[in-house]
Amino acid sequence: MVDSDELRSAITAQVEGFARAGGTGVRSVLVKTLDSPRLTVAHRADLALPAASLAKMILGVALFDSAERGELDLDERVRIGALPGTMYPSVLQALDPDSTVTVRELCGFALVTSDNPAAEHVRAVLGQERIDATIKAVGLHSTAFPAGFSEQELGPLGRANTTTAEDMLRLVEYIDRTPHLGPVRRYLVNYLRNDRIPSRLDDEVPVRHKTGSLRGIVNDAGIVLHPANRIAMVFLTEGQADNVRTAQEIGEVSERIVRIIAEGSAL
């Protein structure tokens, strides 16, 4: 195994290079290995930035935590036609309006496909008090989640949901270690939008993650389940000139960081 200081220096160079490539935009990064050698590399990880759809992970945690305490029924059924519409693509459009799904399944749709109407119903089931209690219980001290995912909240109002890379790391670690959040882990490892952290990794390397996007905002947070070392990674950005290019750069730097850690852990 190579010296952990050498690994940290190599990863720091990658993180700082990614941050500089953002030009006038803001980029916050946090990388942490969860197995030996243990190390953490951060760049502006305490900076509060718009969370976008990363906040849907908070909904998943709040829902299953509340169900674990017996506060709500995950198997309550909801009629598809009763859910709000959206101008954006929705997996719910594949279902008959008179068919029903459970609250548990709606949470799955929100996390596997980032479906906004599904997320909005889960948010309504929970209520703001439970959401805020979850934020406090998990220790997301710099996170605010006052807005939802309805059409009118996806523009400027959606930027009111803010978080930090430090808080998102706490959240993905909480999901990783909490037994009753197994369904949330399953949803995230099957997330269909794999254009960022996983985009350049080998297909056999699972990534349990969630992205978030608004104009100029390109986020991703999760855990790379590499056999050599599990790696938690968080990318928060704002003011990006080209969302597609930033997403590509996240994939490129993630691949380099994973390779550095995997090769170092194997020596």
Side-chain angles (χ1 to χ4, degrees):
M1 183 180 298
V2 301
D3 183 85
S4 59
D5 288 337
E6 293 179 18
L7 273 179
R8 184 177 289 105
S9 295
I11 297 166
T12 298
Q14 294 296 327
V15 168
E16 295 297 334
F18 170 79
R20 288 193 300 271
T24 59
V26 178
R27 293 183 173 185
S28 171
V29 186
L30 187 52
V31 177
K32 180 181 178 181
T33 57
L34 304 183
D35 302 304
S36 182
R38 300 261 184 165
L39 56 88
T40 302
V41 174
H43 174 84
R44 304 189 72 179
D46 61 347
L47 182 65
L49 294 170
S53 284
L54 294 188
K56 290 170 183 171
M57 289 193 291
I58 298 173
L59 294 180
V61 169
L63 187 73
F64 280 87
D65 278 1
S66 297
E68 181 71 8
R69 294 190 296 268
E71 296 174 359
L72 51 81
D73 181 10
L74 293 177
D75 295 318
E76 177 186 351
R77 302 201 71 84
V78 183
R79 182 176 168 273
I80 292 297
L83 296 172
T86 175
M87 63 181 285
Y88 298 99
S90 169
V91 68
L92 301 179
Q93 293 302 311
L95 304 176
D96 187 276
D98 288 326
S99 63
T100 63
V101 294
T102 65
V103 172
R104 184 196 313 270
E105 289 165 337
L106 285 174
C107 181
F109 289 139
L111 292 178
V112 173
T113 73
S114 205
D115 191 274
N116 287 330
E120 265 299 273
H121 187 82
V122 171
R123 181 171 175 261
V125 167
L126 285 165
Q128 193 64 43
E129 185 175 340
R130 285 197 186 99
I131 293 170
D132 290 341
T134 295
I135 289 171
K136 182 177 180 180
V138 180
L140 311 183
H141 305 300
S142 300
T143 294
F145 191 180
F149 302 96
S150 62
E151 297 296 78
Q152 62 267 30
E153 293 173 298
L154 294 179
L157 284 176
R159 294 171 188 261
N161 294 334
T162 57
T163 192
T164 65
E166 291 175 340
D167 278 4
M168 284 297 101
L169 175 66
R170 291 187 188 97
L171 183 64
V172 298
E173 287 189 297
Y174 180 77
I175 293 169
D176 184 59
R177 69 173 182 265
T178 304
H180 67 261
L181 295 181
V184 175
R185 292 191 290 273
R186 186 176 73 253
Y187 301 151
L188 295 176
V189 83
N190 285 288
Y191 183 50
L192 295 181
R193 300 185 181 185
N194 286 337
D195 63 331
R196 298 174 196 180
I197 291 173
S199 62
R200 297 175 65 89
L201 301 180
D202 293 339
D203 290 342
E204 62 268 23
V205 177
V207 180
R208 188 191 300 145
H209 75 123
K210 180 75 185 69
T211 65
S213 304
L214 292 168
R215 185 179 297 276
I217 294 168
V218 186
N219 297 341
D220 202 357
I223 298 177
V224 178
L225 302 171
H226 198 283
N229 199 325
R230 294 171 303 142
I231 309 162
M233 309 177 79
V234 182
F235 296 90
L236 302 181
T237 72
E238 188 174 25
Q240 302 303 292
D242 185 338
N243 276 32
V244 172
R245 181 56 194 156
T246 299
Q248 292 172 340
E249 290 174 352
I250 290 173
E252 291 163 359
V253 73
S254 297
E255 189 274 333
R256 292 193 294 268
I257 290 171
V258 170
R259 176 162 35 84
I260 289 168
I261 293 172
E263 292 175 354
S265 298
L267 294 177

